[in-house]
Amino acid sequence: MTVNITAIKTASDGVWQGDNPLDYAFPLLIIQTTLVLAVGRSLAFLLKPLRQPKVIAEIVGGILLGPSALGRNQEYMHRIFPRWSSPILESVASIGLLFFLFLVGLELDLSSIRRSGKRAFAIAAAGISLPFIFGIGVAFVLRKTIDGADKVGYAQYLVFMGVALSITAFPVLARILAELKLLTTRVGETAMAAAAFNDIVAWILLALAVALAGNGDEGGPHKSPLVSVWVLLSGVAFVIFMMVVIRPAMNWVAHRCSPEHDTVDEVYICLTLATVMVSGFITDLIGIHSIFGAFIFGLTIPKGNFAEKLIERIEDFVSGLLLPLYFASSGLKTDVTKISGGKAWGLLAMVITAACGGKIFGTFVVAVMCMIPVRESLTLGLLMNTKGLVELIVLNIGKEKKVLNDEVFAILVLMALFTTFITTPTVMAVYKPARSSGGRRSSSGKKYDLRVLACVHGPGNISSLINLIESTRSVNKTRLKLYVLHLVELTERSSSIVMVQRVRKNGLPFVSRFNYTARAFHERVAVAFRAYGQMGQVVVRTTTAVSALPTMHEDICHVAKEKGVPMIILSFHKRWIKTEGPDVIENVGHGWRGVNQRVLNKAECTVAILVDRGHGDESQQNGSDTTVAQKVCVMFFGGPDDRACLELGGRMVEHPAVNVTVLRFVEENRAEHDGVGLKPAPSKGRDKYTFSTTVIHPEKEKESDEKVMDEFLRKWEGMVEYKENGGNDIVESILRIGKSGEYDLIVVGKARCPTAMVARLGDRQPEHAELGPVGDLLASSNHGVVSSVLVIQQHDKIVSEESPSQNEEAANEV
């Protein structure tokens, strides 16, 4: 049925008046968008175990919705994706593509490419040139073999095929590197620098290809050769104008919108977004695709607070809603059934071999020549072979300009899918970064008396962690090396990739150049630790871990092992903020709680969790003075975790501004019997305390407790206040101390191997089971406790080796 597009109305009058909404543009666009999002998200969920980037799911979803699968049903195609709706769908998708390329330009830091050095430049050059040459060879074969391929001029066909095979998808590569935890490795840094350079060259080549293509087979042979020259010269003039005139203007706008000024920046943001559209129109006007103008304009905007605001405003809408429509429109043009017969499938195999072989071999050879180890060189080649979204843009433009026919288009789309799909599994199989650093640990141990890893995921953690760490250090004796690990959640937002790509081994300074929030956070850390540096006894090293929350614990445990730290300090997922009225509870989310739980379960060193109720706020209010007197209570019930608390208390005694009280709980009316405290207590809920079921001799444990306590009191006689609590109502005694406000900090053990007294608390329904019975009681928000709490879990290798019968469910319960 022939439809006059000018007769299509935007909205229907509704089914009650006899209208079918699917015959009208806007209701049909809503249905198409909903269907595309549903299919894409479903496939992303299914492919997540294979660790595939979301772009793979969206491309596959578009192909499934097109003539290759569901589109074989003609009734479905005529109803959901009729031919008259294609211009409308593609126009909306093209807006998304325009702004996506603007974001790519916004995220691409030209200065980082200049800093990357000759090695990354050489690798990128090889990764482009060899597959480009292979692409030219493939183009000759396809023109001779596929019907209709020779209708297009040689020049535009060769350039399009060369670009299609040589391109590397910078945004997709960044996501893969982040998920494989390779961004901060040498391989990751080199790959990102090379891919960024590759991106720039690819867009220049694409502009050349578009200029040469004209209207493909319709206008190509009939136009004057000077037309392409004028198009290219106009493109160069446009780039020069953007860099010379627009870039300084955008620097001024970014400065006006900086946090130092109180200017309302809505006008500037609206003008910037409008300029994206105008830039696209100008490049389209001169004969280069509109996305090139948006990309160049993105490069003119300085990296900083203004760029971050732009990304926050438009990224989710563009990446989450409009880009999937672009993939769907691409899928509707892809008909896999066009690849039929042995000859066509042989051509597909040839194209894949040429693309993969040229990219991997070229990168590998140059990387080896640059003295990079063989395994890392091969990994670089595999990573540079990533295609995905950028490849699809090139192919769509080629089809739009009628350079690529249906069969060639389908072959190249499947090639892009295959090369991106194999990247993650092959890299995981080939490259496993070394994780051992035993030699570094031993040398570090001789130089420093104390090494601590403090994990920070927000500015609110800083003052309490600083005060805690300072209180464990003897001002005159202890040499402290402090590693501060800034935990950054890796989300689906590609702007998190912007932050990631600037992370190096010292992390925060690189982040701070782009992300204002991270910059302010880093400045607070720098100010807080400046006094430490002046003392000369403290060495501070900052680093950044960017990871999805389910795997964040791997980064924390790896840094702890690599640096040989005996203790990790984590912030509790809840924080109490003091106000004039009732305290406000800030909850950073269940995901961060899960990070703490997994670190407790996997760490090979002692782990402490700080429940902050304003610990250290007074010292921060008094400027740089961090030596305000603090009162600390160490609760001692017995067991390995409590003995670790006592050891930490001994360190605090040495600090002149810390007053330590040891409160020992003893049972008067109930005799302990063998093993009573070492059996897991029942719990009515899904969450439960994790007591060890190891058979430990109570008498031996009691002897160890007595010995440690006697040595502690003898060593610190006259400097520590010692009390005993003999009451039978343990809960009431613990809460009374917590609610009294007498102590700034209460130190307790997690009690995985509890005494009989603590084990009986296991009958309670836990609120935060990872803190153990006593820590959970003090961390509860329902009991009016005002003191901060430090819960310690000691890592005892000997106990672990003697625990083959440890309850598996309990061990994994976090």
Side-chain angles (χ1 to χ4, degrees), residues 33 104 283 285 294 500 510 607 626 650:
T33 304
V104 171
T283 49
L285 182 69
V500 169
F510 286 87
V607 180
T626 59

Side-chain angles (χ1 to χ4, degrees), residues 246-265 268-269 272 300-310 516 519:
I246 302 300
R247 191 170 188 174
M250 295 313 298
N251 280 329
W252 180 83
V253 170
H255 179 70
R256 293 288 298 169
C257 297
S258 63
E260 291 79 15
H261 296 82
D262 295 327
T263 310
V264 178
D265 54 10
Y268 296 113
I269 288 179
T272 302
T300 65
I301 297 178
K303 312 304 178 243
N305 184 56
F306 182 61
E308 184 190 72
K309 284 185 178 181
L310 286 170
Y516 175 73
R519 181 169 72 245

